[in-house]
Amino acid sequence: MTEQDDTTAPPANRGLLALAGVLLLIPVVAILWVPLYARTGPELGGFPFFYWYQFAWVFLCAAATFGAYKIVLKARPHRPMRGAATDGEDAR
C-alpha cells in the first residue's frame, strides 16, 4: 500500500473547474451583450424588457454563482493536511 502525501492538496478536476468558469461567464456575456436587450418590448407588468431583463439577471447571476461554488467544492476535494492547525489553535 502506498503512503498518501498529506502535505499537498489533492489534484483538482479540471473539467469541473472549466464548467464552473463557463457557468460564471454566462451572466457576464448576457449582460455585456447590450444589443440583446436594448429594446422596449415585450413588457412584463408594465416594465419594458430593458429593465426586467437586467433585473432577472440579478437572481440568475446569484444562482450561477452558487452553482459554480458547489461545482468547485466538488472539483477540489478537501483532505486534511498533516501539521495543519485545527480551528482554535495557533499554527506556530
Side-chain angles (χ1 to χ4, degrees):
M1 187 153 68
T2 62
E3 187 173 321
Q4 187 174 1
D5 181 14
D6 291 336
T7 59
T8 60
N13 182 331
R14 291 185 187 266
L16 286 177
L17 290 177
L19 176 63
V22 168
L23 196 56
L24 291 174
L25 189 62
I26 291 171
V28 172
V29 171
I31 294 298
L32 290 180
W33 190 11
V34 177
L36 178 67
Y37 62 92
R39 53 193 163 110
T40 56
E43 291 186 359
L44 181 67
F47 289 98
F49 182 75
F50 179 80
Y51 293 112
W52 68 259
Y53 176 84
Q54 291 179 69
F55 188 66
W57 274 105
V58 170
F59 301 103
L60 294 172
C61 186
T65 303
F66 180 73
Y69 168 73
K70 288 302 217 178
I71 290 170
V72 168
L73 286 181
K74 184 172 178 131
R76 300 178 69 192
H78 174 72
R79 178 174 66 204
M81 295 171 52
R82 185 173 16 127
T86 59
D87 289 342
E89 294 181 16
D90 288 336
R92 296 180 197 232

